[in-house]
Amino acid sequence: MTSLSCAIRDCLLTGDKRGKVFATRKLVRDWRQGKLDFTFDCAMPQRPEWPENLDLRLPRDMPRRGKGGSEKGRIALWHALAHIEFVAIDLALDMAGRFGESMGQGFVSDFLSVAADEAMHFALLERKLDSLGSTYGALPAHDGLWSAAQDTAHDVAARLAIVPMVLEARGLDVTPATLERVRAQGDENGAKILKRILDDEIRHVAFGSKHFREICSARGENPPESWQKLVKTHFSGGLKPPFNDSARSAAGLSRDFYAGIV
Ligand SMILES: [Fe+2]
Ligand SMILES: [Fe+2]
C-alpha cells in the first residue's frame, strides 16, 4: 500500500493548477476507500509547489482592485478568491500530513475532506474566471497566506488557532457582503458559488475549533484563553470586526474566544 504521508507530499509538490486539483481528489478518494497506509515516513515540504510563473507579491505590492462593478474589478475579485482557495488546498493537505500522525485518523479524515472541498472551490472559481475570459495566474497573487503555515509548523494547536480559527473564520465575516455585492450586480451564478463556499467554510472552521478544544482539554488548558495567547504570538494582523457571530457560533467559535481580543 502507498503511504498516506507520501501521497499527501506528492499533492503538495504538484505545481500545475489542474494537476493539484486532480491529485487531491484522487488522494481523498483513495483515503476513503482504505487504499492508503497510515504511515508517516515522508516529511512535508517547507513550501508546496504552485503554478510556474505565478506572480507572487507581498500584500502591500498588490495592485488596487478598483471599483467592483467594472469587468476588470470583477476579474480581480474572482482571481483573488481563486488564489485563496488554491492555497487553502495546500493548507489542508499540510495540516493532515504534518500533524496526522500525532492527532490520529479522525483528524486526517476531517482535514482531507477540507482539502477536497478547497479543490472543489478552486475549480468553481477557475471556471468562473474562464467564463470572464481570464484564468488563474493571469494576475498577481499575494504571498501572505503560506507564511501562516510556516510560522505554525511546530505546533498543531498554533496551526489550528491561526489557519481555520482566524483565517478561515475571517472568510465567514467577509463573504456575505461580497455575496450581496455580486448578487446586486446581477451575477446569480457568482452568488451561488459564494453561498456554497460559505456553507463549506463553516464546516472547516468547525473542524478547527473541535480539534483545538480537544487539544486544550488534553493539555488542561482553557480554550479561549489559550487561543488568544496563540493569536497574539502568531497573528500580527489583528482581528477586524464586524464579526459574523451567527456563522462563527455555528462553527463552534463562540464570542468568548474573540470578544476579548479586539
Ligand atoms: Fe474554501
Ligand atoms: Fe476552507
Side-chain angles (χ1 to χ4, degrees):
M1 271 213 277
T2 311
S3 125
L4 169 67
S5 59
C6 299
I8 294 176
R9 181 186 162 87
D10 286 349
C11 288
L12 284 162
L13 293 178
T14 301
D16 178 73
K17 56 188 176 181
R18 296 206 176 120
K20 193 184 289 282
V21 168
F22 184 82
T24 301
R25 286 184 179 154
K26 183 175 182 321
L27 164 80
V28 178
R29 209 165 46 237
D30 286 351
W31 170 249
R32 287 177 178 156
Q33 294 173 355
K35 291 182 184 163
L36 298 172
D37 199 18
F38 190 70
T39 49
F40 289 82
D41 46 341
C42 278
M44 296 305 112
Q46 284 259 326
R47 270 200 86 111
E49 293 288 333
W50 291 347
E52 249 176 85
N53 307 325
L54 190 64
D55 179 6
L56 289 170
R57 301 196 190 169
L58 291 171
R60 63 164 186 269
D61 297 331
M62 287 292 292
R64 293 195 167 249
R65 254 190 233 165
K67 291 267 179 273
S70 70
E71 180 80 357
K72 235 178 117 185
R74 291 178 60 205
I75 289 173
L77 167 71
W78 295 113
H79 195 281
L81 295 175
H83 179 60
I84 290 171
E85 298 295 344
F86 190 76
V87 178
I89 302 172
D90 286 330
L91 288 170
L93 291 170
D94 190 81
M95 182 81 89
R98 189 175 297 274
F99 302 111
E101 185 171 24
S102 60
M103 295 296 291
Q105 304 211 9
F107 179 92
V108 166
S109 293
D110 286 348
F111 284 99
L112 287 188
S113 87
V114 173
D117 286 349
E118 308 299 16
M120 169 57 75
H121 297 167
F122 173 74
L124 290 169
L125 292 168
E126 218 221 346
R127 202 182 310 155
K128 183 74 185 166
L129 279 172
D130 284 348
S131 77
L132 294 168
S134 188
T135 191
Y136 178 52
L139 297 180
H142 84 80
D143 198 17
L145 286 171
W146 195 256
S147 57
Q150 285 173 319
D151 290 349
T152 57
H154 63 289
D155 177 18
V156 62
R159 175 67 64 84
L160 290 165
I162 303 306
V163 173
M165 297 173 77
V166 170
L167 301 178
E168 290 186 288
R170 174 91 185 127
L172 304 184
D173 301 334
V174 299
T175 306
T178 311
L179 192 157
E180 282 317 314
R181 212 166 56 237
V182 163
R183 180 169 281 151
Q185 290 162 5
D187 183 358
E188 201 44 49
N189 159 270
K192 251 191 212 154
I193 294 175
L194 291 175
K195 177 75 174 80
R196 160 89 193 257
I197 291 178
L198 180 58
D199 290 346
D200 288 344
E201 295 301 333
I202 291 177
R203 218 166 50 89
H204 302 176
V205 178
F207 284 145
S209 50
K210 175 182 88 175
H211 290 289
F212 184 80
R213 284 171 195 275
E214 283 172 10
I215 294 170
C216 289
S217 103
R219 293 180 183 174
E221 291 170 359
N222 171 280
E225 274 172 24
S226 123
W227 181 77
Q228 288 167 10
K229 243 184 253 160
L230 290 165
V231 171
K232 278 182 196 140
T233 312
H234 297 287
F235 189 71
S236 54
L239 303 188
K240 291 185 200 95
F243 300 113
N244 183 345
D245 290 326
S246 65
R248 283 171 170 259
S249 98
L253 205 51
S254 48
R255 275 199 70 87
D256 48 340
F257 277 85
Y258 53 92
I261 207 169
V262 287

